[in-house]
Amino acid sequence: MKHLFKLDPAKNLPRNSVTKLIHSGTDGFIIGGTDNLEIEAVENLYELLAETDLPIFLEVSDESMILPEAEHFLIPVVLNTENSKWTHGLHKELIKELGDFIPWKRITSEGYVILNKDAKVAQLTEAKTDLTDEDIIAYARLAENIFRLPIFYVEYSGMYGDPEAVRKVSEVLSDTEFWYGGGIRSKEQAAEMAKYADTIIVGNIIYEDLEKALETATIFMEKTV
Ligand code: 1GP
């Protein structure tokens, strides 16, 4: 997967926009958000996406948004916080509550490093965003070699990140998939981050300029024709 769109259940998207996203050349969708998470909104998004065969990942950041019939779940593990609630605390409580009913085979964990201090997710999780490239690289190695996480996610939500830091991270990961998300607003930026990351994630621009959002996916379609 080279490209995913991240859809926020708290934001409205007309049906014809969703149809365009489905046929854009993207490899799939993440449903995820930080606030105002309600199951009805998650259900509505699934309903809007019903016409696609592309994978749909439900990124669970709050118990209230769990749709049991979802095909794939992504579980964030925030690495750059000292508040253990976001690394394993909430996870443990949910596992305690749901116990035997968790469909482990449909669950993939993501090791997040959150780097935009102004992002809601950074504030919520008390992420330590003031990191050097060496810090970020160390987190990538921790994710792959100590925690053996399947995905390492460099998250600049709302801000375009530093391509050089992203390049350096790409050089130290081999088994762990490298995902990059944050501030991609043009096909040039999509292409730049896609040189280094296995998968790029495009979110906010969908709601601000749909045509620009579509272009971030179309470039990958053109390459395979
Ligand atoms: C957010 O990484 C994604 O979780 C995408 O970021 O919304 O800034 O595109 P943007």
Side-chain angles (χ1 to χ4, degrees), residues 63 90-102:
E63 190 183 347
L90 285 175
H91 314 61
K92 175 254 171 184
E93 288 307 318
L94 205 57
I95 293 167
K96 187 176 163 193
E97 187 182 322
L98 300 177
D100 295 339
F101 300 104
I102 300 174

Side-chain angles (χ1 to χ4, degrees), residues 141-204:
R141 289 185 158 136
L142 178 81
E144 176 162 304
N145 301 294
I146 305 294
F147 290 158
R148 307 218 184 274
L149 291 163
I151 296 165
F152 181 68
Y153 193 137
V154 169
E155 170 68 292
Y156 276 92
S157 184
M159 167 189 167
Y160 190 61
D162 174 11
E164 187 52 17
V166 173
R167 183 190 67 76
K168 287 181 189 168
V169 166
S170 73
E171 289 186 349
V172 302
L173 292 176
S174 42
D175 295 336
T176 293
E177 289 275 313
F178 179 21
W179 290 16
Y180 170 85
I184 294 178
R185 309 178 65 82
S186 68
K187 58 185 177 187
E188 290 77 16
Q189 289 174 332
E192 181 171 48
M193 288 306 186
K195 271 196 288 187
Y196 311 122
D198 296 310
T199 302
I200 59 164
I201 292 93
V202 174
N204 275 307

Side-chain angles (χ1 to χ4, degrees), residues 58-222:
L58 181 58
E59 188 170 56
V60 180
S61 45
D62 189 282
E63 190 183 347
S64 65
M65 66 185 293
I66 298 177
L67 189 70
E69 59 267 37
E71 214 177 311
H72 308 284
F73 297 93
L74 293 173
I75 308 293
V77 168
V78 180
L79 299 173
N80 61 325
T81 179
E82 285 173 12
N83 184 342
S84 65
K85 176 178 171 181
W86 303 103
T87 53
H88 65 267
L90 285 175
H91 314 61
K92 175 254 171 184
E93 288 307 318
L94 205 57
I95 293 167
K96 187 176 163 193
E97 187 182 322
L98 300 177
D100 295 339
F101 300 104
I102 300 174
W104 293 111
K105 290 202 166 67
R106 290 191 275 142
I107 289 176
T108 307
S109 48
E110 316 161 284
Y112 261 79
V113 169
I114 300 166
L115 293 167
N116 175 10
K117 70 171 171 33
D118 297 322
K120 279 183 199 153
V121 64
Q123 289 159 10
L124 179 73
T125 61
E126 298 166 43
K128 294 206 166 294
T129 56
D130 186 19
L131 302 182
T132 63
D133 289 359
E134 287 69 31
D135 289 319
I136 303 169
I137 288 165
Y139 277 122
R141 289 185 158 136
L142 178 81
E144 176 162 304
N145 301 294
I146 305 294
F147 290 158
R148 307 218 184 274
L149 291 163
I151 296 165
F152 181 68
Y153 193 137
V154 169
E155 170 68 292
Y156 276 92
S157 184
M159 167 189 167
Y160 190 61
D162 174 11
E164 187 52 17
V166 173
R167 183 190 67 76
K168 287 181 189 168
V169 166
S170 73
E171 289 186 349
V172 302
L173 292 176
S174 42
D175 295 336
T176 293
E177 289 275 313
F178 179 21
W179 290 16
Y180 170 85
I184 294 178
R185 309 178 65 82
S186 68
K187 58 185 177 187
E188 290 77 16
Q189 289 174 332
E192 181 171 48
M193 288 306 186
K195 271 196 288 187
Y196 311 122
D198 296 310
T199 302
I200 59 164
I201 292 93
V202 174
N204 275 307
I205 190 73
I206 299 167
Y207 303 94
E208 291 162 18
D209 187 336
L210 184 71
E211 291 308 314
K212 285 232 167 308
L214 295 169
E215 280 179 17
T216 67
T218 310
I219 52 166
F220 301 110
M221 191 156 63
E222 284 162 0

